[in-house]
Amino acid sequence: VLYAHRVLHKALQYAVRKKLLRANPAGRDFMDAPRSPKSDARAMTGKERESFLGAMESPGWRKSPWYTPFKLDFYTGLRRGELLGLRWDSVNLDRGLLSVVRTLERIPHQGLRAGEPKSRSSRRTLTLPRSAVALLRERQARQAEERLKAGPAWVDEGYLFTGPSGHPLDPDAASKAFLRLMRELSIEGIT
């Protein structure tokens, strides 16, 4: 219903622009758009958490570019765009603080774009557990090695999670990698 409303709204808006209609009957002035049903998120069970953390320590995942982001997300519960939009200027490792002030998203036919969090309340500062701080210190050291290895090809945009040339990791690729991990572990219903 929501999708049908969006298509109808766009078509009628086009008719308004072409002066075929005075107002859009599917617009806010005439009706409320249908709301999409909210689904309850499911948290991992204790056994699933153990399985996830065990898999992350396997050699294949440990060397993966997703190792640190997935583990940090395990501690913080950030949205994928918030997680991959993190920059080093938003992290204070000495105080164990992480500020969510931007996001990263893929825009079709345009590429990756930095933006604002979904809402005002999405802008927040989190206190990190010691294990998350250690994880980020390890990431900092590994990124310094990657920067040296890339040499002049390194693009320094300040992101925590980058590919071999310094560009930020793609949120769509993160989703695919996470779903692959969940399939490997036979865990269903976790996004």
Side-chain angles (χ1 to χ4, degrees):
V1 172
L2 180 61
Y3 179 74
H5 177 267
R6 286 181 180 155
V7 171
L8 183 61
H9 181 272
K10 250 189 168 348
L12 293 170
Q13 196 61 38
Y14 179 78
V16 170
R17 278 198 313 273
K18 293 293 182 182
K19 304 217 186 303
L20 299 171
L21 291 173
R22 286 189 192 147
N24 185 343
R28 289 188 186 124
D29 293 340
F30 296 99
M31 68 177 295
D32 293 329
R35 295 200 177 271
S36 58
K38 295 216 179 223
S39 59
D40 291 334
R42 183 178 84 75
M44 288 183 187
T45 65
K47 188 175 181 179
E48 288 170 338
R49 283 192 301 273
E50 287 176 26
S51 181
F52 172 82
L53 291 172
M56 292 308 300
E57 295 306 321
S58 71
W61 281 103
R62 186 110 167 99
K63 292 179 181 174
S64 158
W66 305 112
Y67 172 77
T68 309
F70 286 0
K71 280 198 76 172
L72 181 65
D73 201 36
F74 183 80
Y75 295 122
T76 62
L78 295 176
R79 295 177 180 98
R80 72 180 190 161
E82 294 171 340
L83 181 71
L84 297 178
L86 289 172
R87 292 188 182 161
W88 288 109
D89 63 1
S90 301
V91 179
N92 184 328
L93 294 177
D94 295 330
R95 295 181 62 205
L97 299 174
L98 180 147
S99 296
V100 178
V101 295
R102 68 184 65 83
T103 62
L104 188 67
E105 62 182 328
R106 172 161 291 288
I107 306 295
H109 311 294
Q110 294 178 28
L112 296 179
R113 185 187 77 172
E116 297 285 318
K118 278 179 103 170
S119 66
R120 199 177 216 135
S121 61
S122 294
R123 294 177 72 93
R124 61 204 183 276
T125 299
L126 306 173
T127 303
L128 297 172
R130 283 190 201 123
S131 49
V133 171
L135 181 71
L136 289 178
R137 287 194 192 283
E138 184 181 311
R139 174 65 197 141
Q140 210 171 31
R142 190 173 338 145
Q143 193 176 61
E145 291 171 9
E146 292 167 356
R147 183 181 289 119
L148 285 174
K149 189 175 182 180
W154 183 264
V155 177
D156 193 359
E157 298 180 61
Y159 286 97
L160 269 70
F161 307 118
T162 56
S165 62
H167 291 288
L169 296 178
D170 188 323
D172 290 350
S175 293
K176 289 175 186 169
F178 186 78
L179 289 174
R180 187 178 74 235
L181 175 60
M182 293 297 102
R183 276 193 304 276
E184 284 176 17
L185 300 174
S186 300
I187 297 175
E188 293 182 15
I190 302 293
T191 58

